[in-house]
Amino acid sequence: MYYTFRQFAEMFQITEHTVRYYTDVGLLPCRRDSGNRRIFDEESVHWMQGITYLKRCGASIRDMKEYCRLCRLEESKENLNARYQIILKQRELAYKKAEEAKATAAFMDAKLKHYEDILAGLTPDDTNPGNWTQHTAFCTGKSCE
């Protein structure tokens, strides 16, 4: 199955500019039709899935390019180890992002609880920036020590 430029971008919820960039820098393979327009096949889909996950981990374009380059080389122990090291680094970044996301979610949970207490009349409204102190600018009353 082949996908047009627009279909491919929509499939991955990215801009056509991003797809063009990925093909231009050699991250994403594509073919050309008789009108020299880019078309994408299942191989392109698999590459884009990998690129998407690497990007979500925070991989740099340089790291993604190196990983893709290594994937295209002949198999060897050194090549496999180099790809392993890249994936290991990206996994560490992913876990770090996950911890940051958990901390952000916990902060928002505390903020919601604080608003619920205000709405229930259990605590005064200190959410207006004009009423903030240095402490309440980033804290939710009871949730900060």
Side-chain angles (χ1 to χ4, degrees):
M1 176 167 205
Y2 289 99
Y3 305 94
T4 66
F5 200 75
R6 177 169 286 143
Q7 289 170 327
F8 194 80
E10 288 173 358
M11 182 186 314
F12 287 96
Q13 299 176 347
I14 57 177
T15 66
E16 291 178 29
H17 174 78
T18 300
V19 175
R20 185 176 297 108
Y21 176 74
Y22 288 162
T23 60
D24 289 348
V25 299
L27 286 176
L28 180 63
C30 70
R31 297 176 187 206
R32 300 280 181 157
D33 67 9
S34 60
N36 201 30
R37 292 177 295 262
R38 291 174 175 100
I39 56 172
F40 303 89
D41 58 15
E42 292 306 313
E43 179 186 4
S44 303
V45 169
H46 292 295
W47 279 101
M48 191 64 217
Q49 288 170 337
I51 292 166
T52 299
Y53 282 108
L54 287 170
K55 184 176 181 193
R56 286 180 187 167
C57 289
S60 67
I61 292 295
R62 182 180 180 179
D63 283 346
M64 287 190 281
K65 285 174 74 172
E66 179 62 7
Y67 182 77
C68 291
R69 183 189 73 77
L70 290 166
C71 287
R72 292 181 180 109
L73 292 177
E74 186 176 325
E75 291 293 323
S76 70
K77 182 97 171 157
E78 295 79 22
N79 179 312
L80 184 60
N81 188 51
R83 287 183 284 158
Y84 173 81
Q85 292 300 320
I86 291 170
I87 295 301
L88 181 63
K89 174 184 170 185
Q90 297 312 314
R91 184 190 68 173
E92 289 170 6
L93 289 172
Y95 277 111
K96 182 179 178 189
K97 282 185 142 196
E99 287 303 314
E100 291 169 355
K102 285 180 186 176
T104 300
F107 177 82
M108 297 312 291
D109 287 344
K111 275 291 195 193
L112 283 173
K113 174 70 172 104
H114 186 66
Y115 272 96
E116 290 165 357
D117 288 348
I118 293 167
L119 290 168
L122 302 174
T123 191
D125 181 3
D126 61 355
T127 59
N128 185 317
N131 298 331
W132 286 355
T133 65
Q134 184 175 359
H135 181 75
T136 59
F138 297 102
C139 300
T140 56
K142 300 173 192 168
S143 68
C144 280
E145 307 269 347

mmCIF file of all heavy atoms in Angstrom, residues 76-91:
data_model
loop_
_atom_site.group_PDB
_atom_site.id
_atom_site.type_symbol
_atom_site.label_atom_id
_atom_site.label_comp_id
_atom_site.label_asym_id
_atom_site.label_seq_id
_atom_site.Cartn_x
_atom_site.Cartn_y
_atom_site.Cartn_z
ATOM 1 N N SER A 76 26.584 -6.425 12.270
ATOM 2 C CA SER A 76 27.832 -6.819 12.928
ATOM 3 C C SER A 76 27.646 -6.635 14.426
ATOM 4 O O SER A 76 26.728 -5.941 14.871
ATOM 5 C CB SER A 76 29.013 -5.975 12.440
ATOM 6 O OG SER A 76 28.897 -4.654 12.924
ATOM 7 N N LYS A 77 28.506 -7.228 15.190
ATOM 8 C CA LYS A 77 28.448 -7.100 16.650
ATOM 9 C C LYS A 77 28.625 -5.631 17.049
ATOM 10 O O LYS A 77 27.920 -5.125 17.921
ATOM 11 C CB LYS A 77 29.541 -7.965 17.284
ATOM 12 C CG LYS A 77 29.553 -7.966 18.773
ATOM 13 C CD LYS A 77 28.837 -9.161 19.304
ATOM 14 C CE LYS A 77 29.061 -9.235 20.805
ATOM 15 N NZ LYS A 77 28.058 -9.976 21.460
ATOM 16 N N GLU A 78 29.565 -4.937 16.399
ATOM 17 C CA GLU A 78 29.815 -3.520 16.704
ATOM 18 C C GLU A 78 28.602 -2.657 16.361
ATOM 19 O O GLU A 78 28.232 -1.767 17.118
ATOM 20 C CB GLU A 78 31.053 -3.016 15.952
ATOM 21 C CG GLU A 78 32.352 -3.668 16.359
ATOM 22 C CD GLU A 78 32.564 -5.062 15.745
ATOM 23 O OE1 GLU A 78 31.934 -5.380 14.696
ATOM 24 O OE2 GLU A 78 33.332 -5.836 16.323
ATOM 25 N N ASN A 79 28.020 -2.943 15.216
ATOM 26 C CA ASN A 79 26.846 -2.198 14.772
ATOM 27 C C ASN A 79 25.689 -2.414 15.756
ATOM 28 O O ASN A 79 25.036 -1.462 16.177
ATOM 29 C CB ASN A 79 26.459 -2.668 13.367
ATOM 30 C CG ASN A 79 25.235 -1.978 12.823
ATOM 31 O OD1 ASN A 79 24.220 -1.881 13.495
ATOM 32 N ND2 ASN A 79 25.326 -1.512 11.599
ATOM 33 N N LEU A 80 25.453 -3.650 16.118
ATOM 34 C CA LEU A 80 24.384 -3.974 17.054
ATOM 35 C C LEU A 80 24.619 -3.293 18.402
ATOM 36 O O LEU A 80 23.694 -2.717 18.989
ATOM 37 C CB LEU A 80 24.288 -5.492 17.235
ATOM 38 C CG LEU A 80 23.150 -6.003 18.109
ATOM 39 C CD1 LEU A 80 21.797 -5.596 17.540
ATOM 40 C CD2 LEU A 80 23.241 -7.513 18.231
ATOM 41 N N ASN A 81 25.847 -3.306 18.867
ATOM 42 C CA ASN A 81 26.165 -2.662 20.147
ATOM 43 C C ASN A 81 25.962 -1.149 20.068
ATOM 44 O O ASN A 81 25.455 -0.544 21.022
ATOM 45 C CB ASN A 81 27.599 -2.983 20.575
ATOM 46 C CG ASN A 81 27.870 -2.494 21.979
ATOM 47 O OD1 ASN A 81 27.117 -2.773 22.902
ATOM 48 N ND2 ASN A 81 28.944 -1.744 22.138
ATOM 49 N N ALA A 82 26.342 -0.546 18.963
ATOM 50 C CA ALA A 82 26.161 0.905 18.802
ATOM 51 C C ALA A 82 24.672 1.270 18.828
ATOM 52 O O ALA A 82 24.280 2.244 19.473
ATOM 53 C CB ALA A 82 26.805 1.379 17.501
ATOM 54 N N ARG A 83 23.853 0.479 18.146
ATOM 55 C CA ARG A 83 22.406 0.732 18.168
ATOM 56 C C ARG A 83 21.842 0.505 19.569
ATOM 57 O O ARG A 83 20.997 1.273 20.033
ATOM 58 C CB ARG A 83 21.679 -0.153 17.156
ATOM 59 C CG ARG A 83 21.913 0.307 15.726
ATOM 60 C CD ARG A 83 21.133 -0.511 14.744
ATOM 61 N NE ARG A 83 21.789 -1.793 14.591
ATOM 62 C CZ ARG A 83 21.194 -2.899 14.150
ATOM 63 N NH1 ARG A 83 19.931 -2.886 13.819
ATOM 64 N NH2 ARG A 83 21.861 -4.018 14.032
ATOM 65 N N TYR A 84 22.323 -0.512 20.231
ATOM 66 C CA TYR A 84 21.904 -0.806 21.601
ATOM 67 C C TYR A 84 22.204 0.387 22.508
ATOM 68 O O TYR A 84 21.353 0.787 23.320
ATOM 69 C CB TYR A 84 22.622 -2.062 22.103
ATOM 70 C CG TYR A 84 22.388 -2.345 23.564
ATOM 71 C CD1 TYR A 84 21.223 -2.973 24.001
ATOM 72 C CD2 TYR A 84 23.335 -1.977 24.521
ATOM 73 C CE1 TYR A 84 21.010 -3.233 25.344
ATOM 74 C CE2 TYR A 84 23.122 -2.234 25.866
ATOM 75 C CZ TYR A 84 21.967 -2.852 26.274
ATOM 76 O OH TYR A 84 21.751 -3.099 27.607
ATOM 77 N N GLN A 85 23.385 0.960 22.385
ATOM 78 C CA GLN A 85 23.770 2.099 23.227
ATOM 79 C C GLN A 85 22.858 3.305 22.978
ATOM 80 O O GLN A 85 22.485 4.006 23.921
ATOM 81 C CB GLN A 85 25.241 2.475 22.986
ATOM 82 C CG GLN A 85 26.229 1.438 23.473
ATOM 83 C CD GLN A 85 26.111 1.173 24.961
ATOM 84 O OE1 GLN A 85 25.913 2.069 25.763
ATOM 85 N NE2 GLN A 85 26.219 -0.103 25.338
ATOM 86 N N ILE A 86 22.491 3.526 21.740
ATOM 87 C CA ILE A 86 21.584 4.636 21.420
ATOM 88 C C ILE A 86 20.221 4.386 22.066
ATOM 89 O O ILE A 86 19.638 5.284 22.695
ATOM 90 C CB ILE A 86 21.457 4.837 19.895
ATOM 91 C CG1 ILE A 86 22.781 5.373 19.333
ATOM 92 C CG2 ILE A 86 20.293 5.777 19.558
ATOM 93 C CD1 ILE A 86 22.850 5.385 17.815
ATOM 94 N N ILE A 87 19.698 3.175 21.934
ATOM 95 C CA ILE A 87 18.396 2.853 22.513
ATOM 96 C C ILE A 87 18.453 2.915 24.037
ATOM 97 O O ILE A 87 17.522 3.404 24.687
ATOM 98 C CB ILE A 87 17.906 1.476 22.013
ATOM 99 C CG1 ILE A 87 17.658 1.517 20.505
ATOM 100 C CG2 ILE A 87 16.656 1.025 22.768
ATOM 101 C CD1 ILE A 87 16.628 2.550 20.051
ATOM 102 N N LEU A 88 19.548 2.469 24.613
ATOM 103 C CA LEU A 88 19.723 2.542 26.067
ATOM 104 C C LEU A 88 19.658 3.994 26.535
ATOM 105 O O LEU A 88 18.961 4.319 27.504
ATOM 106 C CB LEU A 88 21.056 1.902 26.462
ATOM 107 C CG LEU A 88 21.385 1.865 27.954
ATOM 108 C CD1 LEU A 88 20.375 1.018 28.710
ATOM 109 C CD2 LEU A 88 22.795 1.303 28.144
ATOM 110 N N LYS A 89 20.359 4.865 25.848
ATOM 111 C CA LYS A 89 20.349 6.301 26.191
ATOM 112 C C LYS A 89 18.930 6.872 26.067
ATOM 113 O O LYS A 89 18.477 7.615 26.943
ATOM 114 C CB LYS A 89 21.307 7.051 25.260
ATOM 115 C CG LYS A 89 21.282 8.549 25.422
ATOM 116 C CD LYS A 89 22.191 9.212 24.395
ATOM 117 C CE LYS A 89 22.024 10.710 24.368
ATOM 118 N NZ LYS A 89 22.814 11.326 23.291
ATOM 119 N N GLN A 90 18.233 6.503 25.001
ATOM 120 C CA GLN A 90 16.890 7.031 24.789
ATOM 121 C C GLN A 90 15.912 6.490 25.829
ATOM 122 O O GLN A 90 15.011 7.186 26.268
ATOM 123 C CB GLN A 90 16.402 6.736 23.373
ATOM 124 C CG GLN A 90 17.238 7.391 22.293
ATOM 125 C CD GLN A 90 17.518 8.856 22.558
ATOM 126 O OE1 GLN A 90 16.630 9.631 22.912
ATOM 127 N NE2 GLN A 90 18.773 9.257 22.374
ATOM 128 N N ARG A 91 16.101 5.233 26.246
ATOM 129 C CA ARG A 91 15.238 4.687 27.302
ATOM 130 C C ARG A 91 15.432 5.465 28.591
ATOM 131 O O ARG A 91 14.466 5.780 29.292
ATOM 132 C CB ARG A 91 15.538 3.212 27.525
ATOM 133 C CG ARG A 91 14.576 2.611 28.568
ATOM 134 C CD ARG A 91 14.962 1.245 29.004
ATOM 135 N NE ARG A 91 16.207 1.326 29.770
ATOM 136 C CZ ARG A 91 16.737 0.301 30.401
ATOM 137 N NH1 ARG A 91 16.156 -0.880 30.351
ATOM 138 N NH2 ARG A 91 17.853 0.437 31.070
#
